[in-house]
Amino acid sequence: MMDLSGINQIQARIAEIEGQFSLPTQTMPGMEFAERLQQEIGKHSVSAAHKAHAVQRAEATSAAQHAAASTTANYANPELARTIHAAAAKYAVDPKLVSAVAEVESGGDQSAVSPAGAVGVMQLMPDTAAGLGANPYNMESNIDGGTKYLREMLDTFDGDVKKAVAAYNAGPNAVKAYGGVPPYAETQDYVNRVLDIYR
């Protein structure tokens, strides 16, 4: 905060001189400056503190909401969890891997539809779903089809989870052509996100 003691001392000295010489008290230019400045500083510091507190409160609320959404969003849905576990058991795939793919694909949201037309929790393209005998618009069938496809990718790449996940995103031919995760930014990001959740 600004030190105003010098101004106060000058004002006191002026008042003393006026008293000594019996001068009429005058309003000197700047006499009220210190007081007004102090009032303005007080107003702004209260306002700044209030704003900072409001921003911190909003950030904390947003972080809490985001954390709650990401951890409980759809896995608080017991039907989704049961369906994933049932499909994982049926095709002998780790349910954590199926859950990780579902999370990255759609956030576990059956109503999700990508700009490319992929549908549901496991984001099945209608042609792929048809080849798997799945109805992509039905959650149970969508998860069953996606898990079956994941099993096929694991079998194709000798159980290599990283390659299987890359193939789920980019297709098995791309993974074979590059001998691993294709150098596509989207696929590399996808694989990293799925494996981060899976681990």
Side-chain angles (χ1 to χ4, degrees), residues 18-19 21-27:
E18 285 173 346
F21 294 97
S22 301
L23 295 172
T25 303
Q26 298 177 25
T27 303

Side-chain angles (χ1 to χ4, degrees), residues 11 14 18 25-33:
Q11 288 175 335
I14 290 170
E18 285 173 346
T25 303
Q26 298 177 25
T27 303
M28 302 286 289
M31 286 288 280
E32 296 174 4
F33 173 76

Side-chain angles (χ1 to χ4, degrees), residues 31-194:
M31 286 288 280
E32 296 174 4
F33 173 76
E35 187 180 339
R36 286 186 185 164
L37 182 61
Q38 197 63 52
Q39 287 172 351
E40 288 302 313
I41 289 171
K43 278 188 210 169
H44 288 292
S45 39
V46 168
S47 174
H50 178 72
K51 283 179 186 169
H53 181 66
V55 167
Q56 286 172 346
R57 207 170 49 230
E59 286 173 351
T61 302
S62 172
Q65 287 172 342
H66 179 71
S70 62
T71 54
T72 62
N74 290 295
Y75 297 110
N77 175 348
E79 185 188 355
L80 177 66
R82 274 196 304 272
T83 305
I84 285 174
H85 279 270
K90 180 177 176 181
Y91 295 108
V93 178
D94 187 339
K96 280 175 56 183
L97 181 58
V98 180
S99 294
V101 169
E103 176 61 32
V104 174
E105 286 288 350
S106 68
D109 182 4
Q110 177 55 32
S111 65
V113 179
S114 79
V119 176
V121 173
M122 303 298 282
Q123 289 291 279
L124 299 179
M125 292 297 287
D127 288 350
T128 304
L132 294 164
N135 172 3
Y137 300 97
N138 172 277
M139 185 179 79
E140 191 173 315
S141 186
N142 184 291
I143 292 169
D144 186 89
T147 306
K148 181 179 181 182
Y149 187 66
L150 196 51
R151 173 77 266 163
E152 288 177 5
M153 295 305 98
L154 285 164
D155 291 343
T156 300
F157 296 102
D158 301 319
D160 186 319
V161 173
K162 191 172 187 177
K163 287 181 180 177
V165 169
Y168 193 97
N169 177 262
N173 292 336
V175 176
K176 287 174 185 172
Y178 288 101
V181 180
Y184 314 145
E186 181 197 328
T187 301
Q188 291 182 348
D189 177 59
Y190 175 87
V191 170
N192 289 336
R193 287 168 62 204
V194 169

